[in-house]
Structures are given as C-alpha cells and as structure tokens.
Amino acid sequence: MSLTKAIMIGRKRRRRGQLWPMPIRETDFGHIYAEATVRPLAAATKSWTGRLLVGTGATDTFLPTSVLRKLGIRPAGRRSYELADGTEQELPIAFGVIEVLGRAAGATLVFAGENEEPLFGVTVVAAAGFYLDPQRERLIPGLPKRKSEK
C-alpha cells in the first residue's frame, strides 16, 4: 500500500470519528527540535536558551558541561547511561528547571561532552505535558488530564 493511500484511509477514519492515528512508516520520521531555557532553579536569574534535539530514546536531558557550569550547576551524583553507539558511560548529573513553549518542568541534567548535540529527554517532554508529532516534526502541548467522574 502506498503512503498516499494510507494517509487517505487515516483521514477517512478520522472523519468518521475513528480516532486511530494515520499510518506512519519509520522512514517518515524526521528530527524534532525545541527551543528551551534551562535554569538552576525556577526563579534563578541565570539561564541558558538553546535548540535541543528531542531524543525519544533519551530519558534525561544532555547538555554540554560548559553550559551547566556557567549556570552554576554542580554535579549532584553520577548515573550510568547507554549511549546511541551502544557504549555505556557513567556521567555526572544534576537537577534544574527546563522551560519549553512556556511550560516548565524539573529535569535531570546530564553533563555531556562539548561537541555533543544538546538532547531533550522524554521525561521532561512528558512532565511538561507535550506530545510528539513526528510527521510535522514538532511538540504539541497536551491538555491537562481530568479525573473521570463516576
């Protein structure tokens, strides 16, 4: 089945109220970037704003060590991570606040190498209430969940 036909089927189902997602192939996924502001604490005056790759395979947020040090963020411990190339490394971690699209969330910040791309972890994406839209390569703010009334 061609992608065009699969998209048409998905749209037809949506019009009928069947809220199944439109079919997506792995090759349709792009890279999602988000501009985020990092602070040591929510009310801190020091901040860093940059473009981060939303890493769906990354649990925590990876930033260059120099950025975290300039913000006055110091390591609070170490954690072991399996990197994309399959190697395992124990890296220093700290805690801070990340704000993206006006929504703030607490984050585990990993002291990464200077030449590594800043990576936005999925724990912050979920904590800030976002969904990923891989076809349009963007974050979508989600609505707050309500308790169902019985």
Side-chain angles (χ1 to χ4, degrees):
M1 175 185 311
S2 73
L3 178 61
T4 306
K5 186 173 181 178
I7 289 172
M8 287 182 358
I9 291 169
R11 286 185 180 145
K12 191 180 219 180
R13 287 179 179 162
R14 278 193 188 164
R15 280 194 300 270
R16 283 193 243 144
Q18 298 169 327
L19 300 178
W20 297 330
M22 291 173 31
I24 300 173
R25 299 178 304 191
E26 186 177 338
T27 56
D28 294 332
F29 293 131
H31 291 93
I32 300 173
Y33 287 89
E35 187 156 310
T37 301
V38 180
R39 292 184 176 84
L41 299 169
T45 55
K46 281 187 178 182
S47 67
W48 174 85
T49 301
R51 188 171 178 243
L52 286 79
L53 173 64
V54 178
T56 56
T59 303
D60 297 326
T61 298
F62 288 69
L63 293 168
T65 297
S66 62
V67 167
L68 297 174
R69 294 220 184 270
K70 283 179 187 172
L71 293 174
I73 297 173
R74 301 288 175 236
R78 296 181 75 77
R79 190 173 287 167
S80 185
Y81 292 94
E82 183 180 347
L83 303 180
D85 65 3
T87 62
E88 195 168 307
Q89 285 188 12
E90 192 172 293
L91 299 169
I93 62 165
F95 306 98
V97 176
I98 296 182
E99 184 179 325
V100 63
L101 297 174
R103 295 183 178 196
T108 299
L109 305 172
V110 181
F111 288 74
E114 295 304 313
N115 297 324
E116 295 178 28
E117 185 168 32
L119 208 61
F120 194 45
V122 293
T123 53
V124 175
V125 172
F130 288 101
Y131 297 99
L132 301 175
D133 182 353
Q135 286 185 316
R136 292 182 181 85
E137 298 178 0
R138 64 185 177 141
L139 291 175
I140 301 172
L143 296 173
K145 292 186 178 184
R146 291 193 228 166
K147 281 185 164 182
S148 60
E149 295 182 33
K150 293 182 181 183

